[in-house]
Amino acid sequence: MATKDAVGPTVESFDTVPEYEPLRRALDEGEWEAVDAALAAWPGDEVSYALSLLADPDTLTEHRLDVIVGASSSPTARLAWANHHLGLAWQVRLRHPGSILPPDEFARFRRLLAEAEPVLIELCAEFPDFAPAWTARVHSARWLGLPASETRRRFARGAAIADDVWAAVHLHQFFETRWYGSADEARAVLDEILADVPDGSLSWTLVPRFHVERWAEAGGAESWDNPIRTDDVVDALREAAQRSVLHPERGQLTPTLVSAHNAFMVAFWLAGRPEEAARHRAAVGTRLTAPEWSWVTTDAVERTRIWQHLSFLGAAA
Amino acid sequence: MNGSVRGRFTGFEAFEGIVDVAVVDGVTVVRSAAAGPIAAGLMFRVGIADEPLAHRGITHLVEHLALHRHDVLAEHKNGHVLSVTTHFVVSGSEAQVVDFLNGVCAGLRDLPLDRLGAEKSILRAEAQARAGVAEEPLLRARFGAQGHAMPVYREFGLESVDADALAAWARRWFVAENAVLWLTGTETPRGLDLRLPSGRWQPFPAVEEVSRPGPTWTSGPAGAVAADVLVPRATVGTVFAEVASKALFRELRLEGALSYTAGAQYEPVDPERARILFFADATPEHEGAVAGAMVDLLAGFRAGRFHERDLVSAKKAIREGVDAVREGAGAASAVAGAYLLGDRLRHPDEIVSDVDDVTVDQLRDFAERIWPDITWQTPIGPLDWIGAEEVTYWSTDTVEGATFDFIGTPEHLVVGEEGVSVVTPDGVATVRRDDCRLTGVQADGARLLIGANGIMLAIEPTVVRGVDATVIDQIDAVMPSETIVRLPAREPESIPQPPQRAEPVRLKGFGAWAIMLAFPLALFGLAVLVGAIQNTAEYVLGAAPGTRVSPAMVATSWILAILMIGAVAGLIAGWVRRLRSSGGDM
């Protein structure tokens, strides 16, 4: 594995995910029907993930956006369009990370969200069983600052259709300290979500996400006695990994599974358990995911160094 | 069958054989056979929506005075002032019914105006005990300060209406031609005396809607989510409202456990239009979910998503409602009400047939058509995310006139011959003379102006520079005299006061600079002290060879040392004093 992956890791984008090759080909040929056909075979959370990566304003080309706009009768195209506007809104927000937006920037942020949301409302009204639209609405509820009960309602509507890890992630984030909750509320929501999901569900990746949030709150890398290093947390991470990404029912690698492995890889790395992180590194090969790795570093050189270290440990095991 | 027709009324023909009609003392009487005690209702075509804002509550006063001789605590008789009608109802034996109706008419013929003060007092107490209308912001947004918005406002008439005004109101509205009596039975009770002054029938009040491009949203009180829309009166609207009612109840109460009360109602506001109100209550922790669910439900209707169960139960409920007017009190009151309003009324079978014919496609099209005109009311903040614009009460223009600055805030007041404006950084609010519906007069000099579109201006001389009695008199002179209402005196503490300019805090002692200066001074002082001791020793013990210490040098060095010590001590003491005076928060 170490030899095969020696070229170094890739942070996944719509253009690098191998499973998306049919989508890219169809898009570049202007055939949204073919995109639809490919997505129809995937579970809801994979559709959610694919359409959010596709709609990323940093990578979405004008040609592909035109194809999306031209397929306005397709629910997946409409979801991609809405996701694109959510992404544009977030770009505005990221211009002032950690601080209040100036009034005009806030108005722009809000306006972009308000362009996306009616489309999502219509989607949920016309296709109430299209779970990815409900997932996007759990997401948008957080950015719109809607009340917790509305966010929960949207999650419940989607969860009644399918277990969707991304809906769970967005709901859990809502109750995180960084947004509108606290560590206690995040813990309670975590327990609540996991009480209803079966073994094998990727919703168990909320466990590493929860503990990484606590790691950051406790001072991150500066904290030598960070709670993520305690045996209890490590045991919880191990159990969650066994019940999700390492569960026997989990088949071949999918983009969402790659993301889930990355969440565990990062959590074990931060917990000072590189050998266990290496196991997840081995599962994903060179495929890293940006949101999960942003906890550790956004520096490509440092990311590669850690990845190489984990590759070495994996090869040595 | 009396063929009298008013407005679009067609009820006598439609209910041929179900009701019959007589005229007693000029009042039309609609009868329908029913077993048991007699039920009756004397209705007048006047209600809250007919009242000018400055006389809000005047119909209520008439109703109370007409009933004051009756024991209205008894369950079988009472009076109600509704939106466009006033209704005196009774049930019991023939003698009880005759006694009540005769008493009401006698009271209306000759209002006991000596009771006016007492009834005003009773109505003030009643108003205090009455809960507000949950959807007040919606009514104000849609109708401003007139017509169907009247329930939003307090009964200003309790302050402004005198005996003459009250008698004039009764003479205009409580007349035989503007009344109808319905009752159960085939015969008119003996001894009925319905004599009332003669006048004329009054049609539905004109509905003045405040025009805004929609959809719109407005903030509302905690615990209530609502939305409303004006629609053309049609069977499809009735069915739509009933389906929405069933769906809201199912989704918010039965399935979501988010609300106790949830539903929709369809209420005609004039011969052409009806208002559909969607409403749901919510605990504070569920307000967001209730608002979101209501939005999604109506969005689902636009997409043609109707639950079969809701459709079936809605049509069943309408049929049951129609069945209730097929005979007896239901038939008599329905026909009488339609006659009074000059409204169309069809045979129950025809109504049921039309209801059954309403299709899902029609309901979907209806939902699509009304969506842009819906006004939403929620306690959860902006609904920009559904594409709704906030309802604001700004004007497009400012009157010309004298300008007065607010004290301590960037607003200013403009008083002109055409009206009054308040100019703020966010917009202008103007009440023009022609649009003024209320000029509330406070004894302390303040004025409350309310315009037809619902704009309210509170003019407080205490917080506007230069607004004196002359300016207030000018405002009173500009506004129509019939809008002037003397408001009850306010508690002094409720009169706004200009923001107080904070006195600069004078801190005692010295700041941190003192301790920074004291440190080098102390070092220097120590050196001087050592020098003084050395000089003294040399002078006393004898100078070393080649040196000479004079008494002046000794004295000078000691003076310098003492001055240094004193300066350092003073600086430290000053710093400590500052520390104590600021509570240690430096």
Side-chain angles (χ1 to χ4, degrees):
Chain A
M1 183 72 83
T3 307
K4 182 185 165 193
D5 299 337
V7 290
T10 303
V11 175
E12 301 222 297
S13 69
F14 185 74
D15 285 318
T16 66
V17 175
E19 291 85 351
Y20 295 167
E21 177 53 29
L23 305 184
R24 288 192 290 271
R25 198 168 48 244
L27 267 173
D28 294 339
E29 289 169 4
E31 298 284 340
W32 188 268
E33 295 82 0
V35 175
D36 253 344
L39 292 175
W42 295 356
D45 48 7
E46 292 295 351
V47 174
S48 286
Y49 192 51
L51 294 180
S52 65
L53 285 188
L54 162 60
D56 184 347
D58 287 334
T59 56
L60 182 63
T61 63
E62 266 189 45
H63 168 69
R64 287 176 178 174
L65 182 58
D66 287 344
V67 176
I68 291 170
V69 172
S72 58
S73 61
S74 159
T76 51
R78 287 155 72 183
L79 178 55
W81 188 90
N83 278 345
H84 182 59
H85 281 71
L86 294 180
L88 290 171
W90 195 240
Q91 278 188 335
V92 174
R93 181 70 192 89
L94 285 181
R95 284 180 206 153
H96 300 268
S99 61
I100 294 172
L101 283 175
D104 55 336
E105 294 271 4
F106 180 76
R108 182 144 183 261
F109 170 69
R110 196 82 198 175
R111 205 162 43 244
L112 285 162
L113 294 178
E115 283 185 45
E117 187 68 12
V119 173
L120 294 174
I121 291 172
E122 285 176 12
L123 263 182
C124 289
E126 291 174 38
F127 307 96
D129 295 330
F130 183 42
W134 289 106
T135 298
R137 289 188 73 194
V138 181
H139 186 181
S140 64
R142 175 158 50 96
W143 287 358
L144 283 164
L146 299 186
S149 63
E150 169 59 359
T151 311
R152 281 179 174 278
R153 186 190 69 88
R154 293 174 177 202
F155 175 77
R157 290 292 302 262
I161 304 161
D163 171 35
D164 184 326
V165 59
W166 299 114
V169 167
H170 292 312
L171 178 72
H172 188 243
Q173 274 292 305
F174 186 97
F175 291 95
E176 271 295 354
T177 316
R178 288 188 296 140
W179 288 90
Y180 307 108
S182 63
D184 287 345
E185 285 179 273
R187 172 89 245 178
V189 170
L190 173 73
D191 293 342
E192 190 183 316
I193 294 171
L194 295 184
D196 291 332
V197 300
D199 282 358
S201 165
L202 292 186
S203 291
W204 287 97
T205 59
L206 293 184
V207 174
R209 293 174 197 281
F210 171 80
H211 289 296
V212 171
E213 293 273 3
R214 304 287 78 71
W215 167 83
E217 279 174 13
E222 307 299 320
S223 162
W224 64 271
D225 60 345
N226 199 293
I228 202 170
R229 293 171 175 268
T230 62
D231 289 344
D232 285 351
V233 172
V234 171
D235 286 346
L237 292 173
R238 283 186 192 129
E239 184 194 347
Q242 288 298 333
R243 297 178 81 163
S244 57
V245 294
L246 302 178
H247 193 271
E249 284 184 14
R250 274 283 147 199
Q252 66 184 70
L253 209 55
T254 66
T256 297
L257 184 57
V258 168
S259 165
H261 270 298
N262 271 267
F264 281 104
M265 191 186 339
V266 163
F268 279 120
W269 172 260
L270 297 176
R273 306 292 171 132
E275 297 83 0
E276 290 177 80
R279 188 173 183 185
H280 298 284
R281 202 306 287 150
V284 299
T286 58
R287 300 173 67 174
L288 303 188
T289 48
E292 288 71 23
W293 275 86
S294 66
W295 290 106
V296 182
T297 178
T298 52
D299 178 63
V301 175
E302 174 67 0
R303 195 164 49 218
T304 301
R305 190 191 66 72
I306 296 171
W307 178 84
Q308 285 170 339
H309 180 67
L310 296 179
S311 303
F312 173 77
L313 290 175
Chain B
M1 180 69 69
N2 187 320
S4 173
V5 173
R6 56 175 79 189
R8 303 165 57 158
F9 178 68
T10 56
F12 293 153
E13 290 79 8
F15 280 73
E16 181 107 40
I18 301 173
V19 301
D20 69 2
V21 180
V23 176
V24 176
D25 297 324
V27 174
T28 300
V29 180
V30 181
R31 299 176 303 212
S32 182
I38 297 175
L42 181 61
M43 301 168 75
F44 293 88
R45 223 309 286 137
V46 59
I48 300 170
D50 296 293
E51 298 173 343
L53 182 57
H55 283 181
R56 164 86 178 88
I58 190 170
T59 316
H60 200 183
L61 265 173
V62 172
E63 180 250 329
H64 265 232
L65 287 169
L67 284 178
H68 101 277
R69 296 189 189 94
H70 292 273
D71 174 16
V72 288
L73 288 178
E75 287 181 6
H76 64 280
K77 53 188 177 184
N78 211 336
H80 310 283
V81 180
L82 306 174
S83 186
V84 293
T85 58
T86 298
H87 203 169
F88 298 94
V89 289
V90 63
S91 66
S93 65
E94 184 172 308
Q96 285 173 316
V97 168
V98 168
D99 178 60
F100 176 77
L101 293 174
N102 289 359
V104 168
C105 289
L108 290 171
R109 281 195 304 270
D110 183 19
L111 284 172
L113 296 173
D114 56 318
R115 289 275 308 166
L116 184 56
E119 291 300 336
K120 282 183 175 180
S121 181
I122 292 168
L123 288 181
R124 286 191 192 101
E126 183 181 336
Q128 277 200 328
R130 191 166 44 227
V133 181
E135 76 274 15
E136 278 183 5
L138 279 184
L139 289 170
R140 183 177 171 222
R142 189 162 294 284
F143 300 116
Q146 51 196 355
H148 292 273
M150 282 301 108
V152 170
Y153 300 91
R154 55 188 274 203
E155 292 178 317
F156 291 111
L158 301 184
E159 318 304 331
S160 61
V161 170
D162 58 18
D164 289 344
L166 196 76
W169 188 259
R171 273 200 306 276
R172 178 181 175 193
W173 298 95
F174 291 89
V175 296
E177 291 79 359
N178 200 37
V180 65
L181 172 68
W182 63 267
L183 54 82
T184 56
T186 52
E187 299 293 330
T188 302
R190 281 166 298 176
L192 207 52
D193 179 4
L194 302 181
R195 283 178 297 128
L196 288 166
S198 183
R200 65 183 186 88
W201 170 68
Q202 303 282 349
F204 256 112
V207 172
E208 302 284 346
E209 188 183 7
V210 179
S211 174
R212 289 186 180 87
T216 51
W217 69 272
T218 183
S219 290
V225 175
D228 78 347
V229 63
L230 287 192
V231 300
R233 286 177 59 178
T235 305
V236 66
T238 316
V239 176
F240 181 87
E242 197 61 42
V243 171
S245 191
K246 300 295 182 194
L248 283 166
F249 190 78
R250 173 183 50 74
E251 188 151 323
L252 294 178
R253 177 159 166 169
L254 301 180
E255 294 173 4
L258 297 168
S259 295
Y260 174 75
T261 306
Q265 66 188 40
Y266 176 96
E267 184 186 13
V269 293
D270 69 16
E272 304 299 330
R273 288 180 295 175
R275 174 176 179 248
I276 298 180
L277 171 68
F278 310 92
F279 56 89
D281 56 15
T283 55
E285 66 269 25
H286 288 147
E287 286 165 350
V290 169
M294 195 180 280
V295 166
D296 278 350
L297 193 84
L298 293 181
F301 289 166
R302 292 174 73 196
R305 299 221 160 258
F306 296 91
H307 276 237
E308 185 61 25
R309 177 179 158 190
D310 298 334
L311 290 169
V312 169
S313 62
K315 289 187 174 181
K316 180 167 176 273
I318 296 173
R319 277 195 296 271
E320 286 170 356
V322 171
D323 285 344
V325 302
R326 284 183 184 277
E327 59 183 5
S333 61
V335 173
Y339 173 77
L340 186 68
L341 298 173
D343 210 356
R344 63 192 158 193
L345 183 66
R346 293 170 304 151
H347 189 277
D349 290 342
E350 195 184 337
I351 297 171
V352 168
S353 171
D354 279 0
V355 167
D356 287 341
D357 286 346
V358 171
T359 65
V360 166
D361 284 347
Q362 287 175 315
L363 293 172
R364 185 197 58 219
D365 291 347
F366 185 85
E368 184 64 29
R369 279 201 310 276
I370 66 170
W371 178 265
D373 298 325
I374 294 177
T375 299
W376 298 84
Q377 175 195 310
T378 81
I380 66 163
L383 284 190
D384 54 343
W385 48 275
I386 66 165
E389 295 284 331
E390 184 178 10
V391 171
T392 57
Y393 291 91
W394 299 122
S395 307
T396 52
D397 56 354
T398 311
V399 296
E400 288 183 10
T403 299
F404 306 90
D405 291 334
F406 279 59
I407 301 169
T409 58
E411 290 112 26
H412 59 267
L413 173 74
V414 184
V415 178
E417 291 180 359
E418 295 298 315
V420 175
S421 296
V422 170
V423 182
T424 80
D426 297 324
V428 178
T430 296
V431 173
R432 289 189 170 274
R433 171 191 178 84
D434 297 343
D435 281 335
C436 181
R437 293 294 177 271
L438 185 93
T439 306
V441 173
Q442 292 285 1
D444 53 54
R447 294 294 182 266
L448 171 67
L449 304 180
I450 301 180
N453 52 7
I455 286 180
M456 294 186 194
L457 300 184
I459 301 161
E460 301 282 356
T462 46
V463 296
V464 188
R465 195 170 286 118
V467 173
D468 55 16
T470 309
V471 176
I472 294 298
D473 288 347
Q474 189 185 342
I475 292 171
D476 292 348
V478 165
M479 297 305 171
S481 59
E482 65 272 18
T483 67
I484 292 179
V485 175
R486 301 203 177 280
L487 301 174
R490 299 185 289 183
E491 296 295 328
E493 56 268 25
S494 64
I495 298 172
Q497 296 300 321
Q500 297 293 312
R501 184 173 294 170
E503 285 292 317
V505 179
R506 297 195 55 165
L507 295 173
K508 295 175 182 173
F510 303 139
W513 61 267
I515 206 74
M516 291 172 72
L517 184 60
F519 185 68
L521 266 182
L523 288 177
F524 186 55
L526 193 65
V528 172
L529 182 65
V530 169
I533 294 169
Q534 213 169 13
N535 285 346
T536 307
E538 284 181 14
Y539 178 74
V540 172
L541 299 175
T547 63
R548 186 174 170 188
V549 177
S550 67
M553 283 175 70
V554 173
T556 305
S557 57
W558 276 110
I559 289 169
L560 266 176
I562 290 165
L563 281 175
M564 290 290 174
I565 291 166
V568 169
L571 287 168
I572 292 173
W575 180 72
V576 169
R577 202 158 73 241
R578 168 71 60 88
L579 203 61
R580 286 179 177 163
S581 70
S582 63
D585 184 21
M586 298 282 286

